[in-house]
Amino acid sequence: MDLVRALAGADDLRSRLLLEWRMPRVLASACVGAMLGIGGAIFQGVFRNPLAEPYLLGSAGGAAIGATVALLVPLGMPSALALGGLSFVGAWGATVLVLAVARGASATDAAGLLLAGVAVAAMLGAVRSFLMLALSDESVSLQVVLSWTLGGIQTPTWEGLALLATLCVATLLLSLTLANGLDLLGLGEEQSRAFGLDADRFVRRAVLVGAAVVALAVAYGGLVAFVGLVAPHIARWLVGPRHLRLLLVSAMIGAIVVMCCDGIARALLPPAEIPLGLITAAAGGPFFLFLLRRRARS
């Protein structure tokens, strides 16, 4: 009712707070969650691994390194541009590194990719911590960087929210162009080539798109773990494995998960706010163990 009153033009303090503070943050949470869901669905399709997730595969960690450099080093360009650009370079580089490590170790199956991703993610975490210590000085507060790495949605202006929503829709539309290729890739590389898919070229393109989606999500929301794992799984249970519907529903599930977790982060210990990444990690960790147990049984 409060929202209806606010949208109807009520001019009391509660309505203004709702429209100028709560609504932009809720919608920003939805956009970040949608992009994490899309990124997770793309990576799971590309790696043909249901345990693939931007956080576990190092993509989010690579984006975090780029964002850390953008936050700590004056680069002579708009901060939003530096944050987005370096996050993308970090996410893409980390994903390519995971693929190279797995292929170098001749471990391209699901377990091998996951282990390579965990190893690269751990290494990137150490590099990020080193950069935070080496690049910080009295002019830069490490608290800002640390809060960002724990994940959290900042309340944007309506203009900032419009840009974020536009980027979210653009990444969703771009990801939908991958749907048919991801379906074919799921048949195996030989079968996909028989259907006319250039698998190597398609994987490079899909990794590039996935890295861009993850980088945008990390740039706006910090390190928010496990949403990219949980959302595609729930979507797959609801609509099956075909990627056209899977990508759309993953985006919706991701948006709902992050909106709920952000609401919990704000409401659990008022007036303090728990970092969003801690909430998603606490909920996503048991879900990951459930998936591992389910795979072991199957």
Side-chain angles (χ1 to χ4, degrees):
M1 290 302 295
D2 290 337
L3 178 60
V4 173
R5 287 181 63 251
L7 292 175
D11 196 28
D12 55 280
L13 179 60
R14 190 180 183 87
S15 297
R16 287 203 300 273
L17 282 175
L18 194 60
L19 280 183
E20 295 173 11
W21 187 257
R22 290 295 172 85
M23 279 297 294
R25 176 160 172 168
V26 170
L27 295 175
S29 302
C31 291
V32 170
M35 288 192 286
L36 288 173
I38 294 168
I42 291 174
F43 280 120
Q44 289 180 13
V46 168
F47 292 122
R48 284 168 287 167
N49 181 352
L51 298 180
E53 198 259 349
Y55 192 86
L56 293 175
L57 287 174
S59 301
I65 286 183
T68 300
V69 173
L71 289 170
L72 295 178
V73 179
L75 298 173
M77 65 176 70
S79 58
L81 181 62
L83 195 61
L86 290 181
S87 296
F88 167 72
V89 171
W92 180 78
T95 307
V96 171
L97 180 60
V98 169
L99 284 172
V101 169
R103 285 176 179 167
S106 301
T108 54
D109 60 344
L113 280 172
L114 191 60
L115 288 174
V118 170
V120 170
M123 182 183 67
L124 294 176
V127 171
R128 188 182 70 248
S129 298
F130 173 77
L131 290 176
M132 289 172 63
L133 292 173
L135 298 178
S136 63
D137 54 30
E138 64 277 0
S139 64
V140 180
S141 171
L142 271 184
Q143 185 67 32
V144 175
V145 183
L146 185 60
S147 298
W148 179 85
T149 58
L150 292 176
I153 307 296
Q154 303 299 318
T155 302
T157 62
W158 281 105
E159 291 78 11
L161 178 62
L163 175 61
L164 176 59
T166 302
L167 292 171
C168 181
V169 172
T171 55
L172 177 60
L173 295 176
L174 187 60
S175 70
L176 293 179
T177 65
L178 302 173
N180 187 52
L182 291 172
D183 287 340
L184 293 177
L185 201 62
L187 301 174
E189 291 195 8
E190 290 187 5
Q191 288 284 345
S192 63
R193 286 194 176 94
F195 281 98
L197 180 71
D198 184 339
D200 292 336
R201 184 176 179 183
F202 175 78
V203 167
R204 287 196 295 271
R205 179 184 164 212
V207 166
L208 201 63
V209 173
V213 176
V214 171
L216 284 171
V218 171
Y220 277 94
L223 291 179
V224 182
F226 290 111
V227 177
L229 173 73
V230 171
H233 272 281
I234 297 176
R236 201 172 287 112
W237 292 338
L238 293 175
V239 299
R242 296 297 296 270
H243 280 85
L244 188 61
R245 289 181 295 179
L246 180 65
L247 286 163
L248 288 168
V249 178
S250 293
M252 287 190 286
I253 298 294
I256 293 170
V257 168
V258 174
M259 280 194 296
C260 292
C261 288
D262 188 55
I264 294 171
R266 282 187 283 108
L268 204 57
L269 292 174
E273 185 175 309
I274 300 173
L276 174 62
L278 299 185
I279 301 293
T280 59
F287 188 84
F288 182 69
L289 294 176
F290 164 73
L291 292 177
L292 284 178
R293 186 178 177 83
R294 188 177 180 185
R295 281 176 61 85
R297 285 179 175 175
S298 64

